[in-house]
Amino acid sequence: MLFVHTRLRKDGTNVNVEKLALKVRGPNYFHQEHPTTYYKVELMKALRLDDLNAMYKSMFGHKNIPLINTKRYVSEGMLTNKQYLPVTKLAWNYAIVNDEANLENFDLLQEDIMELGVDNLEIYTGSAGTLSWKAQNGEQVDVYLKTNKFPVPKYLWTVVKSGQKVVAFAIFNKNNVSDRDLQKDSFCSSKCEEISWIRNLKAEKQYKKVENGYLLCCEFNEFRRTITEMPNLSGTLELFT
């Protein structure tokens, strides 16, 4: 499973990218499918709105069509050196999202991370699960861009680590989650009120607003029980408050 690993180092008033790498799980990964230039071309084709809307209209009805788009796992704002900007256009940096315009908490989390004044910072980010949507027959079905290809994720997640302190975030990739599903799918005891540095997210309780992408703030070990794509981190870890 893919995820992105970024290491930032603060030097005076400047934040420098010390390490930016595509991480993989398993020694046989490069013998399997992985994002290539061809993958990106296929992804862009699969994101064509006319084709998507036609497929979703037949599945969900014309009044219940998911609004699919993309966001960047690593945004331009997270890269202070222009030489790294081409990274934002690599195939693995495209997160498939539902209703990009209203997924505000994804952007607020990135802003809070970039405003975090620490000397060394590591960021892991990716997606997990498959988004489900109510079909015309009333059943919940998994959402793909193409038949059984390019799943729309259920969660967008980010892990932030500084030294032996770490906190994990998961954002619901759906801005109309019911109270029942929110309770069922909130897989950790959220610690958002304890995290002092997520100022933008805590302003007016933004992180709790379902319409902006409900946010969970998790202790790392509890987070990994559900988000298995995230590798284990060594040492004794404290909550990054």
Side-chain angles (χ1 to χ4, degrees), residues 64 98 131 133 173-179 181 210-211 213:
N64 189 36
N98 172 50
L131 183 70
W133 208 261
N173 192 20
K174 191 176 185 179
N175 64 358
N176 59 350
V177 183
S178 66
D179 291 340
D181 286 342
V210 171
E211 63 271 21

Side-chain angles (χ1 to χ4, degrees), residues 1-28:
M1 179 59 68
L2 285 171
F3 62 91
V4 182
H5 178 203
T6 307
R7 187 193 299 272
L8 306 179
R9 177 174 54 83
K10 188 176 181 183
D11 183 12
T13 58
N14 297 319
V15 178
N16 298 311
V17 176
E18 189 174 84
K19 184 177 182 181
L20 180 61
L22 173 66
K23 294 287 184 176
V24 298
R25 293 188 66 187
N28 296 319

Side-chain angles (χ1 to χ4, degrees), residues 26-204:
N28 296 319
Y29 172 76
F30 287 105
H31 298 288
Q32 304 170 9
E33 290 188 27
H34 58 89
T36 61
T37 301
Y38 178 74
Y39 168 92
K40 183 178 177 181
V41 171
E42 289 297 294
L43 175 61
M44 294 300 107
K45 288 181 179 178
L47 285 164
R48 289 174 177 168
L49 290 181
D50 289 346
D51 294 339
L52 273 180
N53 289 340
M55 179 177 70
Y56 290 155
K57 183 178 179 180
S58 66
M59 296 172 63
F60 306 116
H62 70 279
K63 293 184 178 181
N64 189 36
I65 296 175
L67 302 176
I68 303 301
N69 212 311
T70 62
K71 280 186 176 289
R72 306 287 175 85
Y73 289 116
V74 178
S75 67
E76 291 185 8
M78 299 175 76
L79 303 174
T80 56
N81 195 316
K82 291 183 179 180
Q83 67 177 316
Y84 295 110
L85 290 180
V87 167
T88 63
K89 298 180 180 180
L90 293 178
W92 51 259
N93 199 35
Y94 287 84
I96 304 171
V97 299
N98 172 50
D99 201 353
E100 174 201 23
N102 289 322
L103 203 65
E104 185 178 352
N105 284 342
F106 185 89
D107 301 320
L108 292 178
L109 176 59
Q110 290 191 343
E111 290 176 16
D112 280 329
I113 291 171
M114 292 310 300
E115 293 172 6
L116 187 57
V118 297
D119 291 339
N120 292 286
L121 197 64
E122 293 185 49
I123 303 167
Y124 300 79
T125 181
S127 60
T130 303
L131 183 70
S132 63
W133 208 261
K134 188 176 181 179
Q136 293 196 79
N137 61 8
E139 296 182 0
Q140 293 288 328
V141 299
D142 290 342
V143 183
Y144 293 83
L145 302 188
K146 297 176 68 174
T147 303
N148 295 325
K149 189 173 183 180
F150 301 122
V152 179
K154 184 175 185 177
Y155 305 103
L156 303 173
W157 59 265
T158 301
V159 173
V160 181
K161 181 177 182 289
S162 179
Q164 292 305 112
K165 295 183 178 181
V166 62
V167 62
F169 302 96
I171 296 174
F172 283 74
N173 192 20
K174 191 176 185 179
N175 64 358
N176 59 350
V177 183
S178 66
D179 291 340
R180 178 182 176 183
D181 286 342
L182 196 63
Q183 184 175 7
K184 175 174 65 73
D185 294 330
S186 293
F187 56 83
C188 76
S189 299
S190 192
K191 304 291 184 180
C192 292
E193 285 300 318
E194 299 179 32
I195 312 302
S196 62
W197 53 268
I198 53 171
R199 296 180 180 87
N200 294 306
L201 282 164
K202 291 174 75 171
E204 299 182 2

